[in-house]
Amino acid sequence: MITANDMTLTYSDGTDALKGISLKIQTGELVYITGPSGSGKTSLIKLLMGAEKPTAGELQVLNISLPPAREKDLLQLRQQIGPVFQELKLIDGRSVLDNVVLGMRFLEIPSQQWRSRASEALEKVRISHKMMSKAEHLSWGERQRVAIARAIARRPSLILADEPTGNLDHDNAVNILQLLDSLRNQHTSVIITTHATHLIDRQRTSQLIHISEGRIAPQ
Ligand SMILES: Nc1ncnc2c1ncn2[C@@H]1O[C@H](COP(=O)(O)OP(=O)(O)OP(=O)(O)O)[C@@H](O)[C@H]1O
């Protein structure tokens, strides 16, 4: 599903964010990426979704080589990814249902399916009782559940969650990690970055990748 070989990312200002990254992630895995602030976790996620290009080395995600040869490949990759990022905020003033539906725009999903897919995803994350609530009336934990529903309504092969437990108290953070874990199956892998290493259920984790100063550190 994902193969990286000696991959490097240097930003345009010369910052070496990632150096010599090699990894292999199979379908159905639950993978955590940990490391101190500034170590390169978000940069790695950005590479995996084609938002940044490797400066050197090889990267293949969902059978697509990155950087993509054609714009079409990038669209195809994005169609298969369910992103859960802090920056992808919910839209205040719109209902929970609308927020999930809006996550399906621009994808090749027939519009007649948007509502049913959104309801199904909200049920899966156990927040369908708030379907008609305005986004700004939700707690942080509820907002995060809606963000996850928005990602899974796309029926992704790969869920990429960047610090999904930020802003959450202990119990809510554990709930969110358990929820993300429950979403992996024989077609879907889940990759999560987090600072909260004490919350990781290591028994259920297939790989724990620790990044230190842009390199994968030996465990
Ligand atoms: N667009 C950018 N241009 C230049 N440097 C960047 C850019 N984005 C990130 N960096 C730098 O790359 C390095 C890795 O950053 P990254 O955001 O990947 O770390 P992180 O491990 O996700 O950190 P945090 O846990 O604080 O979110 C840092 O030195 C950061 O300052």
Side-chain angles (χ1 to χ4, degrees):
M1 166 169 271
I2 297 175
T3 316
N5 260 322
D6 207 9
M7 182 176 66
T8 294
L9 172 63
T10 304
Y11 285 110
S12 52
D13 67 356
T15 305
D16 290 321
L18 293 169
K19 303 160 207 160
I21 299 286
S22 297
L23 50 83
K24 215 176 191 78
I25 296 171
Q26 315 276 11
T27 310
E29 287 200 49
L30 170 66
V31 176
Y32 278 98
I33 300 170
T34 65
S37 187
S39 56
K41 303 181 295 298
T42 301
S43 299
L44 181 53
I45 294 284
K46 284 184 178 163
L47 282 170
L48 297 182
M49 61 177 299
E52 291 289 347
K53 295 177 183 156
T55 318
E58 288 165 22
L59 175 61
Q60 258 211 351
V61 181
L62 300 165
N63 293 324
I64 295 169
S65 291
L66 295 172
R70 300 164 299 179
E71 186 65 20
K72 197 167 134 242
D73 294 340
L74 189 59
L75 290 178
Q76 203 195 330
L77 177 72
R78 297 265 170 85
Q79 292 255 80
Q80 299 180 74
I81 291 180
V84 183
F85 296 163
Q86 304 278 350
E87 307 95 87
L88 297 177
K89 293 195 179 80
L90 301 184
I91 303 169
D92 288 344
R94 302 295 292 260
S95 70
V96 161
L97 182 66
D98 280 353
N99 266 280
V100 177
V101 163
L102 289 169
M104 284 178 270
R105 280 174 315 170
F106 313 125
L107 301 182
E108 285 169 6
I109 301 172
S111 54
Q112 315 85 276
Q113 286 185 21
W114 289 357
R115 213 186 142 92
S116 61
R117 279 207 190 195
S119 313
E120 191 184 294
L122 288 164
E123 221 143 88
K124 218 176 231 168
V125 305
R126 299 187 301 278
I127 193 98
S128 44
H129 56 291
K130 299 265 176 161
M131 200 180 274
M132 299 323 288
S133 301
K134 293 269 191 284
E136 66 271 28
H137 295 156
L138 303 179
S139 69
W140 279 110
E142 290 169 340
R143 290 176 84 92
Q144 200 56 302
R145 280 181 186 276
V146 177
I148 294 171
R150 184 175 55 187
I152 63 175
R154 303 157 68 107
R155 302 201 181 139
S157 307
L158 176 61
I159 295 173
L160 295 176
D162 197 14
E163 288 292 349
T165 60
N167 291 325
L168 299 184
D169 62 30
H170 176 274
D171 289 356
N172 269 307
V174 169
N175 281 336
I176 289 297
L177 294 183
Q178 284 173 346
L179 173 61
L180 286 166
D181 177 4
S182 74
L183 300 174
R184 69 174 157 148
N185 56 41
Q186 66 268 42
H187 310 292
T188 309
S189 307
V190 177
I191 302 181
I192 305 171
T193 73
T194 187
H195 282 112
T197 45
H198 59 291
L199 299 181
I200 296 176
D201 181 346
R202 286 170 197 245
Q203 302 273 329
R204 298 192 52 83
T205 303
S206 0
Q207 293 191 54
L208 207 159
I209 297 172
H210 185 74
I211 304 191
S212 172
E213 296 181 4
R215 293 185 193 280
I216 295 183
Q219 298 291 306

